[in-house]
């Protein structure tokens, strides 16, 4: 990750959205969104309820085809998505380790036995989110915040190139938020492009860019300061430059 504004680092772009429009029954959830995400960078997406944040993630993940516009990802890009609510997971007859192991399926296939390296990756992801002591517990007996962390571990275990997280900190206590924010920084430093939807920029610690959605379009995009100071007190993204593209602005 760049440590100063003048550092020129070749950040490979793993997502390019151009003039994205999404209509639901005549209502435009996204209106002409341009956005780039590059390896090694954390992009925060903020905006009011209904402004289009989850829709933007769904389009970025390839789960939802835009009504118009282009979505480009380099061939072979692995996308990991942690959806907004993981409460449904409470009903799944899976342990934390089972859930995180599923994160290796794309790499390994669901029917092949895990290699030692896969198991190590699963254990590492569980450790990163601080759930090692609960690794054998069924999801149904975890608290909401613990379950949220299990899903985050699953996403980490995927070794994704592009990690999309929809309010990953919701329901987490302060210590867990800090652990999750640190995990995100670690994966970004390892070269993953991270897009995080949040209602609270401060909980993310440091980010490289902020994209504010208002009624389905990017109202403004801001870069974090060059030395990557904490975002606390930076809730007014109007400090940033006004333009349509977010992560193309390098920190
Ligand atoms: N499948 C759908 N069918 C119809 N309308 C939808 C659908 N998904 C989203 N919308 C509408 O699109 C708009 C954007 O929704 P979206 O879920 O992307 O917002 P959001 O910014 O993620 O909101 P929140 O902060 O509440 O999670 C909203 O007006 C929503 O009602």
């Amino acid at each position: 990750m760049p440590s100063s504004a003048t550092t020129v680092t070749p950040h490979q772009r793993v997502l390019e959205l151009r003039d994205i429009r999404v209509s639901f029954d005549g209502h435009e959830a996204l209106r002409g969104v341009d956005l780039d995400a590059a390896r090694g960078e954390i992009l925060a997406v903020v905006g009011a309820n209904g402004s289009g944040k989850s829709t933007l993630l769904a389009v970025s993940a390839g789960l939802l085809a835009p009504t118009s516009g282009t979505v480009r990802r380099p061939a072979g890009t692995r996308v990991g998505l942690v959806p907004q609510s993981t409460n449904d997971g409470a009903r799944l007859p899976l342990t934390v380790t089972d859930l995180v192991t599923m994160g290796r399926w794309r790499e390994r296939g669901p029917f092949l036995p895990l290699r030692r390296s896969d198991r190590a990756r699963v254990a590492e992801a569980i450790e990163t989110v601080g759930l090692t002591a609960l690794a054998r517990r069924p999801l149904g007996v975890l608290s909401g915040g613990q379950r949220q962390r299990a899903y985050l571990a699953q996403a980490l275990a995927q070794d994704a190139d592009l990690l999309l997280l929809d309010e990953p900190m919701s329901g987490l206590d302060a210590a867990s938020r800090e652990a999750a924010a640190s995990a995100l920084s670690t994966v970004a430093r390892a070269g993953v492009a991270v897009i995080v939807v949040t209602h609270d920029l401060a909980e993310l610690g440091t980010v490289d860019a902020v994209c504010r959605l208002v009624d389905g379009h990017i109202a403004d995009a801001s870069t974090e300061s060059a030395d990557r100071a904490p975002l606390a007190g930076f809730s007014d993204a109007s400090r940033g430059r006004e333009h349509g593209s977010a992560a193309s602005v390098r920190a």
Side-chain angles (χ1 to χ4, degrees):
M1 239 181 262
S3 58
S4 90
T6 53
T7 305
V8 179
T9 311
H11 283 238
Q12 187 199 351
R13 213 173 275 181
V14 294
L15 176 71
E16 199 178 279
L17 303 183
R18 291 290 176 270
D19 199 16
I20 297 296
R21 289 175 190 276
V22 172
S23 294
F24 294 115
D25 305 322
H27 168 75
E28 281 207 301
L30 292 179
R31 302 186 284 141
V33 167
D34 294 336
L35 185 137
D36 297 335
R39 288 183 174 283
E41 298 184 351
I42 300 177
L43 164 66
V45 178
V46 297
N49 290 140
S51 56
K53 304 182 298 296
S54 298
T55 305
L56 181 64
L57 283 197
V59 169
S60 301
L63 294 174
L64 176 69
T67 309
S68 66
T70 55
V71 180
R72 287 200 193 91
R73 285 182 297 268
T77 302
R78 289 171 298 187
V79 182
L81 173 69
V82 181
Q84 188 167 10
S85 171
T86 56
N87 286 336
D88 288 351
R91 292 196 290 272
L92 298 174
L94 299 171
T95 65
V96 170
T97 299
D98 293 336
L99 181 80
V100 179
T101 297
M102 286 161 67
R104 298 302 298 168
W105 282 2
R106 183 169 38 191
E107 190 84 1
R108 188 65 182 142
F111 303 114
L112 289 174
L114 290 187
R115 296 162 298 198
R116 185 181 298 184
S117 59
D118 294 313
R119 279 196 295 273
R121 189 69 194 92
V122 167
E124 186 189 353
I126 292 173
E127 173 78 38
T128 300
V129 301
L131 285 183
T132 302
L134 304 178
R136 289 163 186 260
R137 293 263 179 95
L139 294 178
V141 305
L142 299 185
S143 74
Q146 290 165 344
R147 206 155 40 241
Q148 185 76 20
R149 281 149 67 191
Y151 275 88
L152 179 58
Q154 186 194 49
L156 297 181
Q158 290 177 26
D159 288 337
D161 304 299
L162 171 63
L163 193 52
L164 307 167
L165 305 134
D166 203 342
E167 297 188 38
M169 313 287 191
S170 67
L172 299 194
D173 59 29
S176 301
R177 279 202 305 271
E178 213 168 290
S182 147
L184 292 187
S185 287
T186 303
V187 295
R189 273 200 302 273
V192 178
V194 182
I195 302 182
V196 197
V197 166
T198 183
H199 279 286
D200 182 5
L201 279 175
E203 72 185 7
L204 291 179
T206 55
V207 298
D208 297 282
V210 179
C211 156
R212 184 175 298 276
L213 276 175
V214 175
D215 288 340
H217 71 90
I218 294 181
D220 55 35
S222 318
T223 57
E224 170 56 337
S225 64
D227 60 358
R228 295 176 56 75
L231 267 176
F234 190 69
S235 56
D236 179 10
S238 62
R239 277 173 57 189
R241 289 176 242 175
E242 289 216 357
H243 61 86
S245 181
S248 56
V249 183
R250 301 283 181 248

